Amino acid sequence: MNIVSRDRCVSVRIDRQVAVITIDNPPINAGSHSVRAGLLDAVREAQAAPDVVAAVLIGAGKTFMAGSDISEFDKPIASPELPEVIAAITASRLSFVAAIHGSALGGGFELALGCDARVATMDAKLGLPEVTLGIIPGAGGTQHLPRLIPVAQAIEIAATGRRLSAAEALDLGIVDAVFADNLQDNAVTFAVNLAGRKRVLRDGDAIASSDDEIAAASAAALRRRNRPNVEQAIAMVKHALDMDVGSALKMEREIFQSLRTSSEAAALRHLFFAERQAPRVEGLKGVSRLPLHTVGVVGAGTMGSSIAIAIADAGLSVVTFDQSPAALQKANDRIAAHYSALVDKGHLDEASAGSRRARIRPASTLAEVAQTDLVLEAIIEDIDAKAELLAQLGELADEGTILATNTSYLDVDVLDGASGRSGQVVGLHFFNPAYRMKLLEIVRPAALSDPVLATALEFAKKLGKIPIVTRVGEGFVGNRIYAAYRRQCEFMLEEGALPQQIDEALEAFGMAMGPFAVGDMSGLDIAMHMRRRTAATRDTSARYVEIPDRLCEAGRLGRKTGAGYYRYPAGARKGLPDPIVDSLIAKASAEKGIERRAFSAEEIVRRAMAAIVGEADAILEEGIAQRPSDIDIALVNGFGFPAHLGGPLFWAARQDAVALAAASQEMIAMSGPGLKHGDVGRLLSRLQQHYPLG
Ligand code: NAD
């Protein structure tokens, strides 16, 4: 027998009375409609072949099945659906072995759980990431897994989306054998030995855990992601203990289907595709990359040290330098403390911590740092200091060395010009802390060479970052939008709202933290320095809120000084409202003759969002961002915008156009003179082209 499905994504051939069914749907063997249909045909053909006693399911190329084809999730899913394929496998007389290399995720893992046994390569990964996409497993995952491992552990896996290594899966009994090589051959041998036996998970009982274990696993999953679909995933796994399996599988599928069509799941799918699209830049295909093994970091302050950690974590060597030996020493201590804390908390073993730590080497001269493949400056935010440093680096570095700047706001074209290496200077704007924050803005000066940009994108990938490529412009994408948002919130402060009210309203909307709590956390002096720096060029007719300057003048720089918009008594986890701030704000309003008035949470959100959306339009119009979805992923991954709303522009595209335009008009009218803003109508028509959302 040698069958190949109509569109060639599933084929069958026989090896030692075993039907080897190969899924070939590059690049990730996603479980698309063609794959499901091909699999169903293959299972039936194999079943009908009289000599065949067992079957192996395997993936061609780099992976087993790394998930369902989620691009099909916006429409009704065409038959056969995955549960039908799995039902054919469980009902078959043949013993099925899933042979897993690469990834068996989501539907891929569920397909493997539908088989009678699972074998894997050592580097295979398994998991149920559905909860990260706003859904739950829908093809038996919540019922089959707790029949293989205890319910509490199944909750941990199904409700967090965590990926398991093959070693862990073997340990737990999820896979039956792990092979160093020759996966297919070994899987066929395994299948020959299994022939004649069926081990259908749904026929067995779920493995109980204690109430305490279940409660602990559920609470931990919800701490990680407190969303309704996570609660549903937990409830469904628990039903493995108290429902008959047929009804539970039906219920699982119904919940999956209703969540799949929810706006939250659509938002998360949008972000999933947005992240994959973000690194794509027209004209870069086939452009060669420059070597990238060692990275130099100049300026070992807050950012320099956390960037060094991010780079060492990715397996690259880092050389650090600071003009102040004391600062360099402090950075060393900070880096050592960071890794010790990870070991103490059990997040990293001693040996890995040691080798990462050893990849970071302090240098005593700038010339030493310059002998690397990429030198990134993270010194103070001062254009003259940075220009001078880049000129020095331009002299010292080898010809092919990339020069990069971590500036948050400054003109990278100017820095490019100052370097004497025009075309080789790129902005790499990391967020704090760089080893945790996923967003990386790659800032592209006009002269930037393609190989440098391509290498910067590869660097981002190595570091596991989500890059967006931006053009030069004050604050690039993220900080510029955030500044417009914060400014609008300051306007509302002056008009009658209090910091805690604004923060609460925006946190209820979904922001990870309100803008004033964020300000206190990062330090109010950062924005103050920025205001001072731009004071000379500021439009003097524009509305200017003095409240943050007053707080800084009073020594209230935020958490680090024990007080900012809030007060932070020793040991307080959260800032407390402070009557001193209330009166400082009231005084500022009175001085401007503003009669303070009450704000509703709804108005606060409406104006804050109008400010974000307006600035996003301006950024797109100026060509600073490549596409709207880049703005979504920037705000979600760098600024705590709620992922379940898909980013501000995905959110905007789903609002009533008339209401959004009215909110924009209101925001503009309330903001007073000098506000530069976008055009909501233009934005919405742009979004229609990019987001076919309805
Ligand atoms: P920082 O003040 O903590 O550290 C700056 C370090 O640079 C200091 O240790 C200083 O001694 C050193 N330095 C100054 N001039 C130097 C020179 N000419 N040569 C060598 N070393 C020099 O500052 P930071 O917060 O780490 O910020 C650094 C850069 O990163 C700035 O451009 C900032 O805008 C940007 N940034 C900061 C954040 C943040 O949240 N802190 C986030 C993103 C980007």
Side-chain angles (χ1 to χ4, degrees):
M1 179 174 54
N2 195 356
I3 72 151
V4 176
S5 65
R6 236 169 307 143
D7 26 26
R8 304 190 166 273
C9 51
V10 176
S11 62
V12 187
R13 59 176 199 85
I14 308 296
D15 179 4
R16 289 171 276 162
Q17 289 189 292
V18 174
V20 178
I21 302 174
T22 304
I23 305 161
D24 189 3
N25 182 27
I28 60 155
N29 290 332
S32 64
H33 175 248
S34 317
V35 166
R36 297 191 304 271
L39 277 174
L40 195 58
D41 286 347
V43 170
R44 287 178 180 152
E45 295 276 346
Q47 155 90 1
D51 296 344
V52 170
V53 294
V56 165
L57 283 188
I58 194 164
K62 284 195 289 208
T63 188
F64 182 69
M65 183 192 281
S68 295
D69 184 348
I70 61 169
S71 65
E72 291 180 0
F73 279 17
D74 285 328
K75 297 163 254 150
I77 297 177
S79 175
E81 299 186 37
L82 191 55
E84 204 180 322
V85 177
I86 292 172
I89 290 173
T90 52
S92 165
R93 69 176 172 84
L94 307 176
S95 306
F96 272 78
V97 176
I100 302 165
H101 72 304
S103 304
L105 299 176
F109 188 25
E110 293 183 292
L111 181 67
L113 288 171
C115 293
D116 301 283
R118 287 146 293 281
V119 299
T121 54
M122 297 215 260
D123 57 359
K125 294 262 184 281
L126 298 90
L128 293 171
E130 285 86 347
V131 285
T132 65
L133 289 169
I135 54 177
I136 66 167
T142 68
Q143 300 308 301
H144 292 156
L145 193 57
R147 287 174 163 79
L148 201 50
I149 60 173
V151 166
Q153 281 165 310
I155 288 176
E156 196 266 314
I157 292 166
T160 65
R162 184 172 73 82
R163 283 163 201 209
L164 281 74
S165 66
E168 189 182 356
L170 182 68
D171 216 34
L172 288 170
I174 293 173
V175 302
D176 300 271
V178 170
F179 300 118
D181 48 24
N182 297 332
L183 177 67
Q184 181 170 320
D185 203 38
N186 282 314
V188 170
T189 306
F190 195 98
V192 168
N193 293 331
L194 191 68
R197 275 176 293 160
K198 287 296 281 180
R199 298 198 313 202
V200 176
L201 286 173
R202 61 169 289 168
D203 294 345
D205 288 331
I207 304 170
S209 300
S210 71
D211 289 349
D212 285 352
E213 286 166 333
I214 292 177
S218 309
L222 285 164
R223 261 200 308 280
R224 206 154 143 160
R225 192 173 282 106
N226 190 3
R227 301 301 311 157
N229 70 310
V230 175
E231 283 177 10
Q232 282 167 297
I234 294 168
M236 238 12 272
V237 176
K238 289 206 278 195
H239 281 321
L241 290 168
D242 61 22
M243 269 177 94
D244 78 90
V245 71
S247 315
L249 286 171
K250 190 162 165 277
M251 186 174 178
E252 179 202 67
R253 189 70 185 170
E254 279 164 9
I255 295 174
F256 163 83
Q257 294 288 26
S258 86
L259 288 171
R260 179 178 67 76
T261 51
S262 68
S263 58
E264 175 159 344
L268 294 168
R269 283 197 292 277
H270 160 70
L271 291 172
F272 178 89
F273 290 117
E275 277 178 30
R276 273 142 197 85
Q277 195 182 15
R280 295 193 194 140
V281 178
E282 225 181 277
L284 276 199
K285 226 181 171 155
V287 169
S288 59
R289 277 118 177 98
L290 302 167
L292 192 56
H293 306 291
T294 55
V295 179
V297 176
V298 182
T302 309
M303 287 311 285
S305 44
S306 92
I307 292 170
I309 291 170
I311 299 170
D313 286 350
L316 298 170
S317 301
V318 192
V319 185
T320 53
F321 175 75
D322 199 290
Q323 67 178 16
S324 147
L328 193 58
Q329 184 54 47
K330 253 169 97 180
N332 263 352
D333 298 345
R334 230 179 356 249
I335 292 165
H338 167 83
Y339 284 119
S340 305
L342 289 183
V343 172
D344 291 347
K345 286 185 205 146
H347 294 332
L348 200 63
D349 62 69
E350 198 99 35
S352 319
S355 59
R356 290 182 193 195
R357 171 82 196 80
R359 283 199 280 271
I360 306 174
R361 179 172 66 81
S364 49
T365 63
L366 191 61
E368 237 179 299
V369 189
Q371 300 314 304
T372 50
D373 300 318
L374 184 157
V375 189
L376 172 68
E377 73 74 21
I379 68 165
I380 45 163
E381 187 77 345
D382 178 279
I383 191 85
D384 296 331
K386 285 188 193 284
E388 192 186 324
L389 174 62
L390 280 157
Q392 282 175 290
L393 289 170
E395 296 267 318
L396 292 167
D398 284 345
E399 216 169 273
T401 296
I402 296 174
L403 304 180
T405 169
N406 183 46
T407 179
S408 308
Y409 292 93
L410 299 175
D411 189 331
V412 188
D413 281 320
V414 169
L415 299 178
D416 173 76
S419 70
R421 293 282 189 96
S422 191
Q424 269 171 275
V425 177
V426 63
L428 292 178
H429 183 213
F430 286 87
F431 291 77
N432 189 23
Y435 49 79
R436 190 171 319 130
M437 297 295 285
K438 286 273 188 195
L439 180 64
L440 178 67
E441 286 182 334
I442 299 184
V443 186
R444 187 181 186 184
L448 187 65
S449 85
D450 284 350
V452 172
L453 179 57
T455 312
L457 282 158
E458 188 170 276
F459 181 55
K461 191 171 171 192
K462 273 196 182 150
L463 265 53
K465 298 297 173 206
I466 300 171
I468 66 162
V469 175
T470 89
R471 290 287 183 185
V472 175
E474 173 88 13
F476 318 119
V477 170
N479 278 343
R480 175 165 162 189
I481 292 181
Y482 198 80
Y485 160 75
R486 195 181 49 215
R487 188 164 53 236
Q488 194 57 226
C489 292
E490 289 168 1
F491 291 166
M492 291 190 275
L493 215 53
E494 203 175 53
E495 290 164 29
L498 290 172
Q500 54 273 25
Q501 243 185 314
I502 296 179
D503 281 356
E504 268 167 31
L506 290 160
E507 284 166 20
F509 174 74
M511 300 297 286
M513 275 171 104
F516 299 111
V518 169
D520 275 2
M521 191 183 66
S522 355
L524 301 180
D525 47 332
I526 295 186
M528 182 188 66
H529 289 311
M530 208 255 287
R531 287 191 297 275
R532 285 192 183 153
R533 186 168 55 73
T534 50
T537 51
R538 189 170 57 231
D539 173 2
T540 47
S541 69
R543 180 170 170 189
Y544 184 85
V545 177
E546 282 169 23
I547 296 162
D549 289 337
R550 299 267 167 91
L551 288 169
C552 291
E553 284 156 17
R556 303 182 68 113
L557 303 183
R559 239 172 210 282
K560 61 185 169 189
T561 56
Y565 282 102
Y566 297 92
R567 61 192 179 87
Y568 299 87
R573 269 188 54 234
K574 220 174 162 254
L576 302 176
D578 192 339
I580 299 174
V581 176
D582 297 357
S583 53
L584 184 147
I585 293 172
K587 190 162 168 261
S589 307
E591 279 171 15
K592 282 202 185 165
I594 297 172
E595 198 171 319
R596 294 179 65 75
R597 66 177 176 90
F599 272 80
S600 68
E602 203 265 326
E603 181 179 358
I604 291 169
V605 171
R606 195 168 68 225
R607 273 182 59 183
M609 285 307 298
I612 290 182
V613 165
E615 198 68 27
D617 173 65
I619 282 175
L620 288 166
E621 194 57 24
E622 290 166 32
I624 304 283
Q626 282 204 93
R627 47 181 90 84
S629 59
D630 285 2
I631 294 179
D632 285 334
I633 54 179
L635 271 281
V636 168
N637 293 291
F639 296 86
F641 191 92
H644 65 266
L645 298 180
L649 299 187
F650 183 88
W651 174 88
R654 298 201 153 214
Q655 301 307 299
D656 176 73
V658 176
L660 196 63
S664 174
Q665 285 311 315
E666 173 196 27
M667 183 273 295
I668 292 164
M670 297 303 297
S671 299
L675 183 84
K676 292 199 193 73
H677 54 80
D679 174 336
V680 168
R682 178 175 65 190
L683 177 71
L684 289 179
S685 58
R686 195 192 300 269
L687 293 184
Q688 260 167 18
Q689 295 159 27
H690 282 267
Y691 299 175
L693 305 167

